[in-house]
Amino acid sequence: MEVRESHVLVVLSRPKFDLKNVKEREGFVVKQQENDQLSALWPNRRTMLKGAASAAALGTTGALGTFSGLALAQDNLRAKITQIPGVGKGAPTDADWQKVGELCLGPTKASIKEGEFKGVELSFMGLNNQNLHNLLFRGFLKPWEAYTGAKISWIDLAQADYNPRLQQAIATGTVDFDILEMGAPFEGDVCGKGLASEMPDWVKKQIDIDDYVDYLKPPVGTWNGKTYRVTIDGDCHNFNYRTDVFSDPTLAKAWKDAGNASEWGVPKTWQQVQAVTKFLKGKKIKNQNAFGYLDAPKPWGGFGFYFLGSRASAYAKHPDDKAWLFDIDTMKPRINNPAWVRAIQDVVDALPFEPADQLNADPNTTGFQQFLAGIGSMIPWWGDIGQVAKASDTSVIGEVVGFDILPGSDDVYNSKTGQWDKLASGPNHAPNCAYLGWGVYVMARVNGDEKKHKAAWSAAAHLGDKELSLWMVMYPSGFQVHRTSHSNIDEWVAAGYDRKYITSYLNSQFNSYNHPNRAVEPRIPGIFQYYSIAEDELTKIFAGKLDAQTGANNIAAAWEKLTDQIGRERQIGLYKASLGV
């Protein structure tokens, strides 16, 4: 990677140099003073543009002038859309979404004639989670519809209903949508069964597919060497915490008085998370009841399993083993091994110290109705929390939230030896890259109609536009950073983000994506059937009807049965491929 004049890694117009030591010392973001020293070594963009202007004045034209003009136009567009409405100036509205969609129509107009798709009708299936996703897509695509002449109808699904609806369409062969918002874990179910349309080369060029962060490049988004996905999201669970809670002097004194030898501060391991959660029960912060970690025990259509996974990854993902859900050679489940059972037991032990009725909280509750509303001090979540905390009217914690990669563990389970290992390097960290992000897929059912095929891919490309993506990851949308170009801190600051805040936020994202021991889930058929089975059994454990080990054994037995139904040998092969083994 290369350094940009804005403090963060990445653009292509500069000479390369070794950043290994810098990255190891400071994480993803480079120190301001180091960057200032580096910036002195080459001309900045302003100097280049001045040079290009001088060349033009002398009557010379060439690639540099053309390139600079395009770069300046692009930068102006990015600066313009990120001020709609401006972070801290109220939550965006449908009018804002339409305005952004209109401003980002340039690539469509460059490849599609006005009215070219008149008479084409497309059906789009996706989420309405938190009144985002599909609702934003409507706004972004209204200008596209007006320009191209195509019309889109919508199938809106709640998060808990998404997997059952998609699986029904797959099982019955009744795909009734032309465009699908879908996560990469479903690619085995959809792309593996020939239900998706291969991406044309012109779309790859239009969306600048090479700008995706490395962990979202192939094989993600592909199947059997063919590309199917327009990526609009990059997923990982990061650690969100209340800075005011962990800097409160009264709590610090109470922590010491309780006999704790460590200093009061943000937990770095799950062992510390448990201790802090139990300690905070009955304490006050700003005259309100203080709570520690917020679990999400209620089933959520398979998606809730990720939150147990974030508790388990540091226990279960050993640095010497790429697998953590199943054994690589047999597909034997690991859900009932000591690492996963410990994570399950952690939830059971923590629930009595969490808010009343936490048993009925799903992730939407913990993220949007509790944490952002000032209840609790620690949650794992996707990047939505950092966006909504600053750019939504619903948040009360925008000034007191901090971010990090997920906590580690003092020890990690070694599935090969059956022992717990303490690493010489310290606590084991294994960020949970949960879900591999949402993407937009075109269905194979449009392949027989050239006009409809082109229209569907044009709509998908518009939603995956590089500039539009910057707006989506800055504002409440349901999507988080997924492109290298999203790492320019100056763009975020110009939109209204505090520099310290956004540096912490982006570090939590990119340091998770780039972590050498990140936990990446397999793109195998039926993955959400595995997750949904687990959620049903976990509900019984959390309600006290089963102990952790018995419930985990039940999940493992059901997973074994599902693997045999799908086909064990095929699953083993796909599992190995997904892990790069």
Side-chain angles (χ1 to χ4, degrees):
M1 285 186 174
E2 303 175 20
V3 173
R4 184 167 187 154
E5 58 261 42
S6 60
H7 321 130
V8 198
L9 300 177
V10 199
V11 280
L12 301 177
S13 59
R14 294 213 169 136
K16 295 184 177 180
F17 56 92
D18 185 8
L19 279 176
K20 181 176 184 291
N21 294 331
V22 177
K23 288 193 287 184
E24 288 178 350
R25 188 167 65 255
E26 291 300 323
F28 188 77
V29 179
V30 181
K31 279 185 176 179
Q32 172 69 50
Q33 60 266 35
E34 294 173 330
N35 185 53
D36 290 343
Q37 294 167 1
L38 292 169
S39 295
L41 300 178
W42 50 70
N44 60 28
R45 174 172 285 138
R46 182 177 299 173
T47 304
M48 291 176 67
L49 292 176
K50 285 175 66 178
S54 299
L58 291 172
T60 60
T61 59
L64 178 60
T66 302
F67 170 80
S68 299
L70 291 173
L72 182 60
Q74 182 189 52
D75 283 356
N76 286 342
L77 174 60
R78 291 167 76 87
K80 187 173 184 178
I81 63 174
T82 54
Q83 286 299 322
I84 303 174
V87 173
K89 297 181 181 179
T93 65
D94 182 61
D96 294 320
W97 303 333
Q98 291 188 48
K99 189 174 182 180
V100 172
E102 174 73 32
L103 288 169
C104 293
L105 268 181
T108 295
K109 292 180 178 179
S111 60
I112 305 298
K113 297 177 182 178
E114 186 171 2
E116 184 172 337
F117 302 140
K118 186 176 180 180
V120 173
E121 295 184 3
L122 299 169
S123 175
F124 190 117
M125 188 169 92
L127 288 188
N128 60 2
N129 191 27
Q130 287 298 316
N131 292 321
L132 300 172
H133 293 255
N134 265 15
L135 300 188
L136 272 76
F137 298 159
R138 279 176 170 82
F140 294 146
L141 283 168
K142 279 183 181 178
W144 178 89
E145 289 179 278
Y147 175 78
T148 66
K151 298 297 180 185
I152 300 176
S153 60
W154 298 87
I155 301 172
D156 301 323
L157 301 173
Q159 188 107 27
D161 298 331
Y162 180 87
N163 179 48
R165 175 67 167 80
L166 179 59
Q167 294 300 335
Q168 179 187 36
I170 295 169
T172 60
T174 55
V175 173
D176 57 347
F177 41 86
D178 303 305
I179 308 173
L180 173 67
E181 178 192 20
M182 184 181 80
F186 290 105
E187 287 173 355
D189 294 308
V190 174
C191 303
K193 294 182 180 177
L195 300 177
S197 173
E198 183 180 359
M199 182 186 293
D201 288 340
W202 66 267
V203 174
K204 297 177 185 178
K205 182 178 180 180
Q206 180 172 323
I207 63 177
D208 191 3
I209 201 168
D210 293 334
D211 186 41
Y212 295 161
V213 295
D214 285 347
Y215 107 101
L216 293 176
K217 290 180 178 178
V220 173
T222 70
W223 201 262
N224 290 333
K226 296 180 179 180
T227 301
Y228 293 97
R229 158 169 147 147
V230 174
T231 293
I232 58 171
D233 180 29
D235 276 341
C236 66
H237 272 188
N238 63 322
F239 191 52
N240 306 267
Y241 60 86
R242 287 272 297 273
T243 59
D244 57 339
V245 170
F246 293 107
S247 62
D248 185 84
T250 302
L251 291 175
K253 183 178 184 303
W255 176 256
K256 280 289 187 184
D257 291 345
N260 292 291
S262 62
E263 294 297 320
W264 177 246
V266 181
K268 297 297 183 183
T269 66
W270 286 108
Q271 288 84 356
Q272 293 171 4
V273 168
Q274 288 293 91
V276 166
T277 299
K278 293 177 180 180
F279 163 77
L280 283 174
K281 178 75 169 182
K283 304 294 190 301
K284 296 281 187 179
I285 179 74
K286 298 178 181 177
N287 297 318
Q288 293 183 329
N289 290 330
F291 292 100
Y293 189 79
L294 299 174
D295 280 297
K298 185 179 178 180
W300 205 38
F303 289 90
F305 182 76
Y306 288 116
F307 290 78
L308 175 65
S310 288
R311 268 196 178 271
S313 58
Y315 299 155
K317 175 64 179 68
H318 197 285
D320 296 334
D321 190 348
K322 289 190 175 183
W324 66 301
L325 282 171
F326 304 91
D327 286 344
I328 288 178
D329 295 320
T330 64
M331 277 294 289
K332 178 183 177 182
R334 294 186 178 179
I335 187 71
N336 60 337
N337 74 12
W340 281 90
V341 171
R342 180 197 278 184
I344 295 169
Q345 189 63 48
D346 277 357
V347 180
V348 173
D349 293 344
L351 282 172
F353 299 90
E354 299 179 25
D357 201 35
Q358 195 68 19
L359 193 63
N360 291 312
D362 65 21
N364 264 350
T365 301
T366 61
F368 296 91
Q369 297 172 31
Q370 290 183 320
F371 189 73
L372 288 169
I375 299 172
S377 56
M378 299 173 285
I379 61 165
W381 235 89
W382 290 282
D384 308 60
I385 297 300
Q387 300 162 324
V388 176
K390 280 287 190 182
S392 172
D393 300 331
T394 62
S395 170
V396 301
I397 62 165
E399 303 305 316
V400 294
V401 62
F403 312 95
D404 204 345
I405 65 172
L406 289 176
S409 170
D410 294 332
D411 52 3
V412 57
Y413 186 70
N414 189 328
S415 292
K416 296 176 181 178
T417 65
Q419 303 294 320
W420 287 93
D421 292 344
K422 283 201 171 186
L423 306 179
S425 57
N428 182 57
H429 287 269
N432 183 14
C433 291
Y435 197 60
L436 298 171
W438 292 99
V440 178
Y441 300 74
V442 172
M443 296 295 98
R445 75 179 200 150
V446 306
N447 287 349
D449 185 328
E450 183 178 351
K451 188 175 180 180
K452 194 169 187 178
H453 176 268
K454 187 176 181 181
W457 274 112
S458 177
H462 180 59
L463 290 180
D465 178 71
K466 183 177 180 178
E467 321 316 331
L468 183 64
S469 76
L470 178 65
W471 190 96
M472 283 202 287
V473 300
M474 280 191 179
Y475 289 95
S477 63
F479 312 112
Q480 67 195 73
V481 293
H482 55 279
R483 289 176 173 269
T484 300
S485 57
H486 292 159
S487 63
N488 183 346
I489 287 181
D490 279 353
E491 288 188 317
W492 293 76
V493 173
Y497 280 93
D498 172 76
R499 186 174 296 277
K500 182 178 179 181
Y501 178 99
I502 201 58
T503 299
S504 172
Y505 174 77
L506 291 177
N507 272 337
S508 74
Q509 307 293 309
F510 285 101
N511 287 344
S512 295
Y513 296 160
N514 298 323
H515 199 282
N517 194 38
R518 63 183 179 267
V520 180
E521 68 185 304
R523 298 176 306 129
I524 57 175
I527 191 65
F528 262 75
Q529 292 171 264
Y530 290 102
Y531 293 166
S532 295
I533 288 169
E535 281 190 352
D536 291 342
E537 202 67 24
L538 288 167
T539 300
K540 301 173 188 176
I541 300 171
F542 299 149
K545 297 178 181 179
L546 294 172
D547 64 83
Q549 186 66 65
T550 299
N553 289 342
N554 291 346
I555 296 170
W559 281 12
E560 288 275 53
K561 185 177 180 181
L562 178 59
T563 296
D564 286 333
Q565 289 174 349
I566 295 173
R568 186 171 297 270
E569 291 305 314
R570 180 167 182 264
Q571 288 291 76
I572 291 171
L574 293 174
Y575 185 49
K576 287 183 175 181
S578 71
L579 295 177
V581 176

